[in-house]
Amino acid sequence: MTKSNVMTQSSEGTGTMLAIISAVLFFISFLINAADISTNDTFTSTNIMLLGLMVLALHLAGIGSGWNVRGRR
């Protein structure tokens, strides 16, 4: 494996976890909005949706993907 191949590989687990967290936040936001649940000003469906968008943006930017560097054998 060449050095360029090692540097371009990333671990899939952490990046996927950010996408799953984003999906869960969107689902919670949808449930709060659809069920018309009254919450305090901090946990409104819009605020949770914005948190989901922030996590999704981090996922798309590559934050949390990390580097998978393998040592020589």
Side-chain angles (χ1 to χ4, degrees), residues 54-69:
M54 180 191 65
V55 173
L56 182 63
L58 290 174
H59 168 70
L60 292 176
I63 304 297
S65 62
W67 291 100
N68 188 11
V69 179

Side-chain angles (χ1 to χ4, degrees), residues 13-65:
T14 308
T16 306
M17 184 170 34
L18 285 176
I20 292 171
I21 290 170
S22 176
V24 167
L25 287 172
F26 284 135
F27 182 70
I28 291 171
S29 174
F30 170 75
L31 285 179
I32 289 173
N33 192 21
D36 201 25
I37 298 172
S38 68
T39 58
N40 60 8
D41 291 335
T42 306
F43 295 109
T44 62
S45 63
T46 304
N47 287 344
I48 294 175
M49 181 188 61
L50 290 173
L51 285 174
L53 285 173
M54 180 191 65
V55 173
L56 182 63
L58 290 174
H59 168 70
L60 292 176
I63 304 297
S65 62

